[in-house]
Amino acid sequence: MKKIAILTATRAEYGLLAPVIRKLNMEPEIDVRVVVTGMHLCREFGMTVDEIRQDGVHIDREIDIRIDSDTPAGISKTMSRALAGFADYFAENKPDALMVLGDRYETLAVCIAAMNERIPIIHLHGGEATLGAVDEAIRNAITKMSYLHFTATEEYRKRVIRMGEAPDRVFMSGAVGVENALGVERMSKGELEQSLGCELGDSFAVLTFHPVTLENNTAQNQIDELIKAMEKYPDITFLCTKANADVDGKIINESLRQCADTHRNVLLYDSLGVRRYLSALSYAEFVIGNSSSGIIEVPSFGIPTINIGDRQKGRIQAESVINCEPLFEDIADAIEKARSLQFRNYIRNISNPYGDGKASDVIVDVTKDFLLNDKFETQKKFYDI
């Protein structure tokens, strides 16, 4: 039997990994070890480890890395705790492979520990571009430490190969988020409202806004401009979730909390969880903010995404995405466009460039082949084009 460790550090990341975890757990020759860390173990972000338990997923280890500061120095210290904690875990458990997703700073630290322990890394969502975020550099670093790759589009697959990764180790699976969007059983609107403890009204939008981590001291001004635009639309309920534990994330969360305290149409939650989030998208008029979800999953619902600023700049986008600057007038103009009947009719049946909803099948089948047939090698040659 082969042992695979699967890392999850954030609510969004777990939602994407969930179908892969479920299917790998059905393989009798693979021992799945889910390791939970990061924001999952922080009360400030909703203790989302409880959502994993509620899904019936066995957690092999919880490794608390104490996310107690969103300053650059604080994040570096969090990474150091992740490196130390996972060094002990990998030395003790010796998994045959580690699966990670994306571009979080915690993930980079964990991958360094795995690399030092000579544990092969399987990376999901490499090759993407987010020019406004430090995630760009982290994602590429993880790619170069990884042996097996699953990308969300063919263009991203080609980009990973251009980084020197051999084509027979790079697979285009599509995005697992699209699979969730198409396959997760959704709540009725009444069930959603009962679960949230509120009424969403006839018109509501889902909002997630993160700091742009390659910009200095812009978070406060950008969230102020966004809130000013929200105040122009008292007829819209804004269903908001908190920003990630990135640099200046607390600035955004505090501003949204104050806004929610003084505006009846603004609702703030630590986390919605996968089912509530995807259910909310089913009934939302539009999505607004700068989350990758607005680029990857939301187009599958046939509703507009208002993408603010540079955090997601560089990603492949569907025609349903409206890009705007983090300025009041630009955001308000984007909201008007998203609400227009002409635009909504135009995007109703658009194609999502992130796949057909079968990503987990590709990921599980290829991972199983590499694990059970001992295709992982200690040495990895640079692939020259």
Side-chain angles (χ1 to χ4, degrees), residues 248-314:
D248 292 340
K250 290 183 179 180
I251 291 174
I252 290 172
N253 292 338
E254 178 58 21
S255 295
L256 286 175
R257 186 194 64 77
Q258 292 179 13
C259 184
D261 287 345
T262 56
H263 295 73
R264 295 185 63 182
N265 67 319
V266 178
L267 310 169
L268 179 63
Y269 293 84
D270 295 335
S271 170
L272 294 179
V274 177
R275 189 168 178 234
R276 287 198 304 188
Y277 177 73
L278 294 175
S279 298
L281 296 183
S282 301
Y283 309 107
E285 190 172 359
F286 59 89
V287 168
I288 184 168
N290 59 5
S291 169
S292 61
S293 175
I295 308 296
I296 296 173
E297 287 106 311
V298 173
S300 295
F301 290 84
I303 63 173
T305 294
I306 298 173
N307 180 55
I308 301 171
D310 288 346
R311 185 178 172 98
Q312 301 300 332
K313 188 176 182 180

Side-chain angles (χ1 to χ4, degrees), residues 4-305:
I4 182 171
I6 302 180
L7 173 72
T8 178
T10 74
R11 66 201 181 198
E13 177 188 73
Y14 168 70
L16 298 176
L17 286 169
V20 178
I21 293 170
R22 284 195 297 270
K23 290 180 180 179
L24 281 173
N25 269 324
M26 296 171 64
E27 298 292 337
E29 296 175 279
I30 298 177
D31 179 10
V32 178
R33 302 292 182 94
V34 176
V35 189
V36 176
T37 191
M39 291 168 58
H40 282 305
L41 305 177
C42 296
R43 295 201 177 279
E44 179 183 355
F45 298 101
M47 283 295 288
T48 48
V49 64
D50 294 335
E51 296 173 14
I52 302 175
R53 295 194 191 101
Q54 289 166 11
D55 282 351
V57 173
H58 172 71
I59 298 172
D60 188 51
R61 187 74 58 87
E62 297 176 20
I63 300 177
D64 188 359
I65 55 176
R66 299 198 315 277
I67 301 177
D68 48 19
S69 170
D70 64 354
T71 65
I75 286 173
S76 294
K77 292 175 183 177
T78 297
M79 292 175 72
S80 72
R81 290 190 286 266
L83 181 56
F86 278 85
D88 290 339
Y89 176 79
F90 292 139
E92 176 187 343
N93 288 273
K94 300 285 188 184
D96 296 291
L98 166 69
M99 180 177 288
V100 301
L101 183 147
D103 42 37
R104 293 284 304 170
Y105 57 81
E106 310 98 315
T107 305
L108 176 59
V110 174
C111 287
I112 292 172
M115 180 186 66
N116 288 339
E117 201 66 43
R118 295 181 177 83
I119 296 168
I121 299 168
I122 304 167
H123 186 210
L124 280 58
H125 276 272
E128 301 177 14
T130 48
L131 303 184
V134 69
D135 303 1
E136 171 90 356
I138 292 173
R139 184 186 310 109
N140 291 340
I142 293 171
T143 290
K144 291 310 301 177
M145 285 190 282
S146 300
Y147 190 87
L148 182 59
H149 309 268
F150 296 99
T151 67
T153 72
E154 182 60 28
E155 181 175 330
Y156 295 155
R157 177 179 180 270
K158 292 176 181 177
R159 190 175 291 163
V160 170
I161 293 169
R162 289 199 297 271
M163 292 174 67
E165 300 300 298
D168 60 355
R169 296 186 284 103
V170 188
F171 296 84
M172 199 288 283
S173 61
V176 189
V178 176
E179 181 172 347
N180 284 342
L182 298 175
V184 168
E185 182 182 357
R186 301 169 195 169
M187 301 174 170
S188 68
K189 190 176 180 184
E191 290 172 330
L192 175 63
E193 290 176 326
Q194 184 177 11
S195 176
L196 293 171
C198 68
E199 292 186 5
L200 296 170
D202 295 330
S203 177
F204 76 93
V206 177
L207 184 150
T208 306
F209 192 73
H210 301 295
V212 185
T213 49
L214 286 183
E215 297 176 353
N216 292 321
N217 303 316
T218 61
Q220 187 66 70
N221 183 67
Q222 290 187 6
I223 192 62
D224 288 347
E225 293 288 300
L226 175 53
I227 288 172
K228 185 178 177 182
M230 292 160 64
E231 290 174 334
K232 185 179 178 181
Y233 297 93
D235 62 313
I236 300 175
T237 298
F238 291 92
L239 178 61
C240 310
T241 59
K242 285 185 176 180
N244 280 337
D246 292 330
V247 172
D248 292 340
K250 290 183 179 180
I251 291 174
I252 290 172
N253 292 338
E254 178 58 21
S255 295
L256 286 175
R257 186 194 64 77
Q258 292 179 13
C259 184
D261 287 345
T262 56
H263 295 73
R264 295 185 63 182
N265 67 319
V266 178
L267 310 169
L268 179 63
Y269 293 84
D270 295 335
S271 170
L272 294 179
V274 177
R275 189 168 178 234
R276 287 198 304 188
Y277 177 73
L278 294 175
S279 298
L281 296 183
S282 301
Y283 309 107
E285 190 172 359
F286 59 89
V287 168
I288 184 168
N290 59 5
S291 169
S292 61
S293 175
I295 308 296
I296 296 173
E297 287 106 311
V298 173
S300 295
F301 290 84
I303 63 173
T305 294

